[in-house]
Amino acid sequence: GAVVSQHPSRVICKSGTSVKIECRSLDFQATTMFWYRQFPKQSLMLMATSNEGSKATYEQGVEKDKFLINHASLTLSTLTVTSAHPEDSSFYICSARDILAGEADTQYFGPGTRLTVL
Amino acid sequence: DQQVKQNSPSLSVQEGRISILNCDYTNSMFDYFLWYKKYPAEGPTFLISISSIKDKNEDGRFTVFLNKSAKHLSLHIVPSQPGDSAVYFCAARKGNAGNMLTFGGGTRLMVKP
């Protein structure tokens, strides 16, 4: 099946620093990628939809200046958490939609990135 | 407003028995539903899906049933295996294929040997 990778898998940073998370579709092209955040024992919350070659669409309540998203190519989207604070500590998961998948059109999820801000 | 709900946060089943995970939704615009399985510290893995024009889809040990009038879907796993122990999320999508998924809160399934 389709594979989506995320890098890094785990990152610890100091408060005030910025962290970049990469999401790559390894064997398919993805015009659309999604970024989710999962708090402990809670569901996946969509943060933003990343569209190749255009600006990301952010969900209500998500600060676009804090969570910068860039979708530079059909296989790569990046999420940068700027000036991270302890409350940004979370599990961030990306997913990618295969443009050739047709009706089934499932999203393929990355393995997630655990961010801990000290 | 939670548009997709999984009212049972956890479920415990004996190995070999049937596991039934339930999901309710409120938005009648949803036309495609998916189930994902998730282990801790990993991304969700797609299991099975169903279009709103169907009422049942089966794939091996997994069957999803959709009751549109009740806005209810369920995932049946039979026979359940210890390796099925994970958190299961149902998700719904509306409109065209480019739209986002709305997830339920998840149900933790524990299959006891």
Side-chain angles (χ1 to χ4, degrees), chain A residues 4 6 23 30-37 45-51 57 59 69 71 77 79 92-98 105-110, chain B residues 93 97-101 103:
Chain A
V4 175
Q6 276 184 246
C23 177
T31 54
T32 304
M33 290 184 173
F34 303 87
W35 286 96
Y36 295 85
R37 182 174 179 176
M45 301 300 296
L46 179 68
M47 297 174 65
T49 302
S50 171
N51 300 297
T57 303
E59 294 302 300
I69 291 173
H71 195 147
S77 175
L79 168 68
Y92 293 87
I93 306 174
C94 73
S95 70
R97 177 176 156 257
D98 186 346
D105 189 38
T106 56
Q107 291 181 27
Y108 299 97
F109 285 81
Chain B
R93 192 191 74 203
N99 282 359
M100 65 179 188
L101 296 176
F103 283 87

Side-chain angles (χ1 to χ4, degrees), chain A residues 80-99:
Chain A
T80 301
V81 183
T82 62
S83 187
H85 290 282
E87 57 266 29
D88 299 324
S89 298
S90 193
F91 193 58
Y92 293 87
I93 306 174
C94 73
S95 70
R97 177 176 156 257
D98 186 346
I99 61 175

Side-chain angles (χ1 to χ4, degrees), chain A residues 9-117:
Chain A
S9 58
R10 183 185 294 266
V11 57
I12 301 173
C13 69
K14 291 182 179 181
S15 185
T17 61
S18 295
V19 175
K20 180 186 283 188
I21 303 170
E22 292 186 348
C23 177
R24 293 182 185 272
S25 56
L26 298 185
D27 52 3
F28 66 98
Q29 293 182 324
T31 54
T32 304
M33 290 184 173
F34 303 87
W35 286 96
Y36 295 85
R37 182 174 179 176
Q38 184 184 28
F39 293 98
K41 298 184 179 180
Q42 293 190 28
S43 186
L44 296 161
M45 301 300 296
L46 179 68
M47 297 174 65
T49 302
S50 171
N51 300 297
E52 188 267 337
S54 64
K55 292 182 178 180
T57 303
Y58 290 82
E59 294 302 300
Q60 192 172 13
V62 179
E63 299 177 58
K64 62 180 182 180
D65 293 330
K66 180 167 184 62
F67 299 98
L68 300 178
I69 291 173
N70 182 272
H71 195 147
S73 74
L74 287 172
T75 59
L76 172 65
S77 175
T78 60
L79 168 68
T80 301
V81 183
T82 62
S83 187
H85 290 282
E87 57 266 29
D88 299 324
S89 298
S90 193
F91 193 58
Y92 293 87
I93 306 174
C94 73
S95 70
R97 177 176 156 257
D98 186 346
I99 61 175
L100 299 179
E103 195 271 342
D105 189 38
T106 56
Q107 291 181 27
Y108 299 97
F109 285 81
T113 297
R114 170 70 62 190
L115 170 63
T116 303
V117 184

